[in-house]
Amino acid sequence: MRIDFLGLQAFLAIAERGSFLRAAAHLNLSQTALSHRMKKLEDDLGIRLLIRTTRQVTLTPDGESLLPKARRALAELAGEVDLLREKARQHQARIALGCLPTIAANHLPLALQDFARSHPGVAVKVYDNSASEIAGLVRSGAAEFGIGIVTAAVWDLEMTPLRKEAFLLLCPADHPFAAGKSVAWGELEGTPLIRISPQAGNRALIDDALGSRRESLNWRYEVQHVQTAVSMVQAGIGLTVVPKLALDVARAPGLALVALRNPSVTRTLAVFTKRGAPLSPAADALLGLIRSRLGGRRPA
């Protein structure tokens, strides 16, 4: 059923003000436009609602019956519109995203710094969680978008590749491996290594790439977070493998990153969004800044 809300608005304005002239001024319309709206409403209904003379406007019995119902319906509609506007305003004032801890710690702060300058009134909630948790947050709507790792486990989300990065060996700057351009995985046998928990997406990528060869390596320590492994390398108790973007060696004195070969292992970072749910303008702006910081290009 089609409802002529503009016609009802015109009817209500005329009935409450008793004049086409005052009603037209209230609605910021010409009297001609107001008359057209009123005529269209009456034609659609098939009844007269108003009697207009040169001196006054009066309501017909049908108009008297319709008036309180039209007033109530338009008031309820206006209330709902106000609620939606307030919801949108609150949504714009706060956004949430999921981000891999390695990216959140080393690259997100600079993007947020730029974002704060362009959107000073918007609060940001960051879920610096594992790749699997990030997918769940986007899926549930708790996060508008996520920065994670490309995997088949997120087939139900929109996944836009961001950039590819290699896994590198992290060692003390004075370690023999630091003097070479690259290190073969086979050369690491016997060297105390620090691995990350199986819950981390990086661990699964490395294990899959190495296959059975991973069992010949000396994984002496296991931790939950990359930053813990980095601290242990700084303490000299072992070496670890990290994604290239996980560490800024310029801010980690005494450490060096060395390429790994045979095999080389990479991960592809991606942006995850919920299918059919466009980003809010603020979230889209923040994502653009993150792309810029990570060297990823915005899709055309």
Side-chain angles (χ1 to χ4, degrees), residues 3 10 27 41 51 62 77 174 204 220 236 244 256 274 278 284 286:
I3 299 177
L27 296 177
L41 176 64
I51 299 174
D62 288 321
L77 180 61
D174 58 358
R220 185 174 299 179
K244 184 177 181 179
K274 201 169 184 180
D284 189 57
L286 177 56

Side-chain angles (χ1 to χ4, degrees), residues 277-293:
L279 295 181
S280 66
D284 189 57
L286 177 56
L287 177 55
L289 292 169
I290 294 172
R291 287 181 183 279
S292 178
R293 286 290 176 183

